[in-house]
Amino acid sequence: MIRQPTIRQVAALAGVSPSTVSRVLNGNDGQHMRPATRDRVLEAIHELDYTPQRAARSLRRQRSQVLAILLPDISNPFFALLARGVEAVAFDAGCSTLICDSDNLVPKETRYLSLLLAERVQGVVLVPVAQPDRDAIDRLARCGVRVVVADREVRGLPTISADNRAGSRMLTEHLLELGYRQIAYIAGPSDVSTANDRLAGFLDALRARNMSPVCVRHSPYTYESAYATAKAILARSVLDAIVAANDLMAVGVMRAAEELGRAVPDDLGVAGFDHVPWAAFVRPRLTTVEVPARHMGTEAARMLLEGSVESLLLPVRIIPGETCSRRSMR
Amino acid sequence: MIRQPTIRQVAALAGVSPSTVSRVLNGNDGQHMRPATRDRVLEAIHELDYTPQRAARSLRRQRSQVLAILLPDISNPFFALLARGVEAVAFDAGCSTLICDSDNLVPKETRYLSLLLAERVQGVVLVPVAQPDRDAIDRLARCGVRVVVADREVRGLPTISADNRAGSRMLTEHLLELGYRQIAYIAGPSDVSTANDRLAGFLDALRARNMSPVCVRHSPYTYESAYATAKAILARSVLDAIVAANDLMAVGVMRAAEELGRAVPDDLGVAGFDHVPWAAFVRPRLTTVEVPARHMGTEAARMLLEGSVESLLLPVRIIPGETCSRRSMR
DNA sequence: CTGAAAGCGCTAACAC
DNA sequence: GTGTTAGCGCTTTCAG
């Protein structure tokens, strides 16, 4: 097991001191480093195939070249896309990316927050399970570890999110224009901001026309719960459309409708939210709202690296599909 | 910006030396540390809410408590599941997990391999794009950074993979039992071992019956290419089934069949591979083979942590679906 | 059973 | 412009 060369060996080979090597490594060529010196150092670095050891640098600087993304479930494609955005920006900046999966568990999220302090990461992109542990976040802040919340809002913390409320309002207006009138809404969990914002946007659109929903149900952001909820409300109420708070739930609604003999979109309009990639495989094609997951990740990472974290609201876009289509007035 | 407490402060508060604190931290309570001493240290740690700084430990030990997963695309749900497995095991062992997305680019993969050496990670779970850079891997090995390949095989390196060949053979036998006879195969890229193994298994099954495929086409593991390939071969050949090398491609085949007016499964049987979660949303339900992605991740991580890396072949399971069903002999 | 001391590889004052 | 020096916080011989 051979040891990699150190900065001292590079210095020796180049006939300079370690600090000089350090300077060229970090672009602190002072005001004007003699080009010949620089070249000799570069040559020595190349010769030895030298790479600085991150741990030593981190210890000295009290800060590692690492970004972290802490999210509820990496196997959810929406979050995976967001993580991809973070990783891409981090990589270009020469940083590594830690992936922290809280598994939708607040205690695990809290434990990860402590771990990230121990790692002295540059910054954390946090997609919280619900309301995150404030103590843990405060301790990070006290040590200069920046935290930016993505996708879901947390009061008092800078957040990069999509304009869920406006998106949901526009989506609902789209359904209304198509002639749908008896609309039910299956919302996400009430402790998640996106769920509340999307519900609010839905209600905004109805209220603007002096209408009200046939019914509103909260449920987790899952296929199964949406499937069960849809079955229940379709059995009990007269309605011509169901809007679900995300695509996964919308597909659950489609299956429920199918099993109850309600044809989509003729007998029932269905809409989702997120525009996740796999949704493109479902037929009929889902009417939904595109949320720029990857873009949220890149923006969050960029802010963390630049040290200028401030809230940002990203625009969304309606994706018309086949699950909602014009219908005659009844 | 406040500094976190150090081991010296803990030692001072407990009235012991830093080495003693270090010993309780690492469970090296020597042979028998006086319980009273231990308790005082523990108390001080708790009192100060002390967490050891990872960078210092890593520098001293010349090894960080970090595992890395280097894969072609984290937004591919199959790889995301594998990553989830790695992360779960790492977390339970008190390790962090670096996520490295090579974006299906060998040069980026190589650059990440260097970065991971600079990070002195404990180990790397590598899902290679194709044949990885041997030099980079050798340098890791020389520094004691263990590498285990997952999912795709690389000659000369320990690999955790699924039994793709047997799975593909069983799947093909399943189609044959259902009465399908004129079968085409859309394979994955020929520089990826899983693609070759799956193709080999398919051919094994046919050969055992003295049959041969209507045609075999290589293509990247993508929806679009499978869609285009299926359109082409359906126009040109007489066939009653198409087996695709993964689920994504199988869905591409389904769409192509649909557009050409070939009903699935009556007019055309379709099969995939992987059993990724979103495939459950496609109708008719896909006949496929379950590959234990998450399990591959947990096993790989466990080996890396235990330091006993050796190849492992995991069993797979046929998932019968609606895209293949019994048909009368023609 | 516990303490003292050295040093991992790097950077950042501070000299010259 | 470049070298010298002093640590960052931890672990680990080696003493005792």
Side-chain angles (χ1 to χ4, degrees), chain A residues 157-233:
Chain A
L157 290 179
T159 302
I160 319 287
S161 59
D163 198 343
N164 290 288
R165 186 161 183 168
S168 188
R169 181 170 43 67
M170 294 187 299
L171 175 69
T172 308
E173 280 161 5
H174 175 67
L175 294 212
L176 291 169
E177 276 161 26
L178 289 175
Y180 294 101
R181 288 295 175 268
Q182 320 269 46
I183 312 179
Y185 192 82
I186 304 185
S190 56
D191 55 355
V192 173
S193 73
T194 52
N196 295 325
D197 293 342
R198 289 169 193 185
L199 173 55
F202 169 75
L203 294 174
D204 288 347
L206 291 187
R207 214 172 286 128
R209 295 210 186 191
N210 281 316
M211 293 173 60
S212 51
V214 173
C215 78
V216 170
R217 292 287 177 78
H218 277 275
S219 101
Y221 267 147
T222 65
Y223 173 91
E224 289 76 16
S225 78
Y227 171 85
T229 305
K231 280 228 163 163
I233 62 183

Side-chain angles (χ1 to χ4, degrees), chain B residues 18-34:
Chain B
S19 13
T20 300
V21 178
S22 175
R23 281 190 266 260
V24 346
L25 246 30
N26 297 293
N28 300 341
D29 322 33
Q31 313 334 336
H32 317 277
M33 174 177 292
R34 198 170 297 165

Side-chain angles (χ1 to χ4, degrees), chain B residues 125-191:
Chain B
V125 178
L126 170 63
V127 183
V129 172
Q131 286 303 311
D133 186 305
R134 290 316 274 246
D135 276 3
I137 291 184
D138 289 347
R139 283 202 299 149
L140 285 169
R142 250 182 281 122
C143 277
V145 174
R146 293 184 272 271
V147 176
V148 53
V149 175
D151 185 47
R152 303 168 169 190
E153 291 175 39
V154 173
R155 43 180 177 43
L157 290 179
T159 303
I160 318 287
S161 60
D163 198 344
N164 290 288
R165 185 160 183 169
S168 188
R169 182 171 41 68
M170 293 188 300
L171 175 69
T172 309
E173 281 162 5
H174 175 69
L175 295 210
L176 292 169
E177 276 160 26
L178 289 175
Y180 294 100
R181 288 293 175 272
Q182 320 270 47
I183 312 180
Y185 191 83
I186 304 184
S190 56
D191 56 353

